[in-house]
Amino acid sequence: MKHGKKYVEGAKLIDRTKLYDTAEALEVCVKTGTAKFDETVELHVKLGVDGRHADQQVRGAIVLPNGTGKSVRVLAICKADKEEEAKAAGADFVGGEEMVQKIQSENWMDFDVLITTPDMMGQVGRLGRLLGPRGLMPNPKAGTVTPDIGKAVTDAKAGKIEYRLDKTNIIHCPIGKVSFGVEKLQENFDTLMDAIVKAKPSAAKGQYVRSCVVSATMGPGVKINPAKFI
């Protein structure tokens, strides 16, 4: 596989035989993020669980202290008595059944997060086939199905992210932008890793955190020593 010139230059900064501590890994990661746009720094964590079993699922949501650096478009679907609360919290789009119909009939997807209330899930649930594959289906575990819609909207706008296993038992999450610098990225990293470690299923056996890697959007991965999370 051929890589671009900047990727190759960034790879030269990394010692492939070394497991870095977090601060040093993030410092190297920032140095490799030399694209013309503000690259996202992502965390990839391989866990020693088998997500095919319900009792070994790892999933949750957390508000990063410094946000993600991304402007999040929030759609709130709720009944009329909750609409003002959602608007006041900063929701970009607010509505009820008409928003469900808009998504169904127009395939409208101009939002990044959908938040709804439990009493609307009967209608929103019909959108599963459209929203599910895009990762937009609201879920109580992610805090996107809640009676406190104002707080949920505020959290989403502030940089709330969802973490969950993929099919290979790896969690992939953004932890900020290269422009954040090491200190802010470290705070976001620590917050997310703390949540992942606390979410360890009781059924998980052996080493929980198998590997931990950070990378900028266009850069190579930097391996972090997982020993501190064991």
Side-chain angles (χ1 to χ4, degrees):
M1 182 177 180
K2 290 185 177 180
H3 292 290
K5 181 180 178 181
K6 289 185 177 180
Y7 181 99
V8 172
E9 289 299 315
K12 291 178 182 178
L13 300 173
I14 301 169
D15 181 352
R16 294 292 185 184
T17 66
K18 178 179 179 179
L19 293 175
Y20 290 81
D21 64 38
T22 307
E24 190 178 7
L26 290 171
E27 186 175 350
V28 173
C29 186
V30 167
K31 288 179 180 177
T32 66
T34 57
K36 292 181 179 179
F37 63 93
D38 192 6
E39 296 185 45
T40 296
V41 177
E42 297 178 343
L43 171 63
H44 310 276
V45 186
K46 173 77 171 179
L47 297 180
V49 297
D50 186 346
R52 293 174 298 178
H53 301 288
D55 61 353
Q56 294 188 50
Q57 274 293 325
V58 179
R59 181 176 185 176
I62 192 79
V63 178
L64 298 178
N66 298 299
T68 62
K70 178 183 177 182
S71 179
V72 180
R73 299 167 299 172
V74 177
L75 165 63
I77 295 182
C78 54
K79 292 190 175 178
D81 61 334
K82 290 279 188 177
E83 288 187 3
E84 284 305 316
E85 181 183 344
K87 290 176 183 176
D92 300 273
F93 310 100
V94 179
E97 187 175 356
E98 74 278 7
M99 301 306 290
V100 175
Q101 293 174 348
K102 182 178 177 69
I103 293 170
Q104 280 184 316
S105 61
E106 301 176 23
N107 202 30
W108 178 74
M109 297 286 170
D110 292 340
F111 53 91
D112 303 301
V113 178
L114 194 166
I115 296 170
T116 190
T117 49
D119 56 6
M120 290 296 292
M121 271 306 291
Q123 297 177 53
V124 174
R126 302 200 301 264
L127 303 174
R129 289 185 179 180
L130 292 172
L131 300 179
R134 294 175 170 85
L136 294 172
M137 191 65 186
N139 185 287
K141 290 184 179 179
T144 46
V145 180
T146 173
D148 192 352
I149 199 161
K151 184 178 185 303
V153 170
T154 300
D155 286 348
K157 299 293 279 189
K160 186 174 186 176
I161 60 168
E162 182 181 0
Y163 58 89
R164 62 185 299 181
L165 294 173
D166 68 5
K167 291 181 180 179
T168 59
N169 300 313
I170 299 175
I171 290 175
H172 310 272
C173 282
I175 57 170
K177 298 286 185 179
V178 165
S179 62
F180 280 21
V182 174
E183 186 176 341
K184 287 185 177 181
L185 289 171
Q186 174 93 57
E187 290 175 355
N188 283 356
F189 175 95
D190 290 343
T191 299
L192 177 56
M193 280 304 301
D194 185 54
I196 292 172
V197 170
K198 286 180 178 177
K200 179 181 179 180
S202 57
K205 305 298 181 184
Q207 184 176 333
Y208 180 52
V209 179
R210 297 287 178 87
S211 68
C212 185
V213 176
V214 289
S215 65
T217 304
M218 306 296 289
V222 186
K223 295 179 181 179
I224 294 174
N225 189 346
K228 66 175 291 187
F229 309 113
I230 298 173

